[in-house]
């Protein structure tokens, strides 16, 4: 049997100690209320007080071996929308891994969130990106073959 992993580690800068505590309490309340019970990876990430950043602001360390990046982004967006985070851009980068070689097991992605608004600025899924690139290359090959065919 193969074990699948989604790995990530990121730091989320908070406005102050009270904001940090409010964010962690809100996450715990969501988990206790059963939000995401239909998703086996919901809440399977750790969000803990890390240290103060260089500016003296508290930081939440978010990390996991099995959590869902979508759930982390939702947590970060909620914190941003509540005004708990320092404004700026925040990035989550994750990888998909497996304990055995599987064709569907590897990949990853990234997401950039605007911490002032909670909006997703951009998102990348490596499997989707690769498929788009392949489709574009195949279309270019077809176009080139058609041009060669028209020239003969």
């Amino acid at each position: 049997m193969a074990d699948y992993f989604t790995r990530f580690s990121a730091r989320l800068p908070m406005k102050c100690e009270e904001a940090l505590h409010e964010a962690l309490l809100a996450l715990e309340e969501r988990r206790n209320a059963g939000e995401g019970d239909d998703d086996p990876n919901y809440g399977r990430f750790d969000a803990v007080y890390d240290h103060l950043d260089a500016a003296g602001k508290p930081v939440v360390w978010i990390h996991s071996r099995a959590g869902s990046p979508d759930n982390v982004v939702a947590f970060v967006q909620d914190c941003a929308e509540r005004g708990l985070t320092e404004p700026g851009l925040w990035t989550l980068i994750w990888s998909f891994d497996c304990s055995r070689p599987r064709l569907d097991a590897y990949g990853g992605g990234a997401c950039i969130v605007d911490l002032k608004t909670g909006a997703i600025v951009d998102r990348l899924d490596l499997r989707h990106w690769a498929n788009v690139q392949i489709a574009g290359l195949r279309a270019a090959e077809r176009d080139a073959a058609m041009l060669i065919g028209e020239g003969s």
Side-chain angles (χ1 to χ4, degrees), residues 44-150:
R44 289 184 57 190
F45 64 89
D46 291 317
V48 296
Y49 171 73
D50 188 15
H51 293 289
L52 301 178
D53 65 10
K57 302 287 185 168
V59 176
V60 174
W61 178 34
I62 302 168
H63 57 96
S64 181
R65 289 183 44 149
S68 164
D70 291 333
N71 293 330
V72 172
V73 170
F75 167 66
V76 170
Q77 287 179 298
D78 182 49
C79 289
E81 290 166 2
R82 290 175 182 231
L84 304 176
T85 57
E86 281 290 303
L89 297 176
W90 179 83
T91 304
L92 178 66
I93 300 170
W94 62 88
S95 67
F96 298 133
D97 199 359
C98 189
S99 62
R100 296 177 177 256
R102 297 288 189 258
L103 294 175
D104 67 342
Y106 304 100
C111 184
I112 300 170
V113 176
D114 181 341
L115 293 179
K116 186 174 182 181
T117 64
I120 293 175
V121 175
D122 205 355
R123 188 177 185 107
L124 170 71
D125 175 276
L126 290 177
R127 187 177 311 274
H128 175 74
W129 174 85
N131 289 335
V132 168
Q133 298 304 309
I134 289 169
L137 292 169
R138 287 184 178 151
E141 288 174 350
R142 281 191 307 272
D143 292 348
M146 289 174 51
L147 286 175
I148 292 170
E150 290 175 2

Side-chain angles (χ1 to χ4, degrees), residues 4 22 25 27 33 38-39 72 91 107 133 136 142 145 150:
Y4 291 82
E22 184 178 335
L25 181 62
L27 178 61
D38 56 333
D39 180 352
V72 172
T91 304
Q133 298 304 309
R142 281 191 307 272
E150 290 175 2

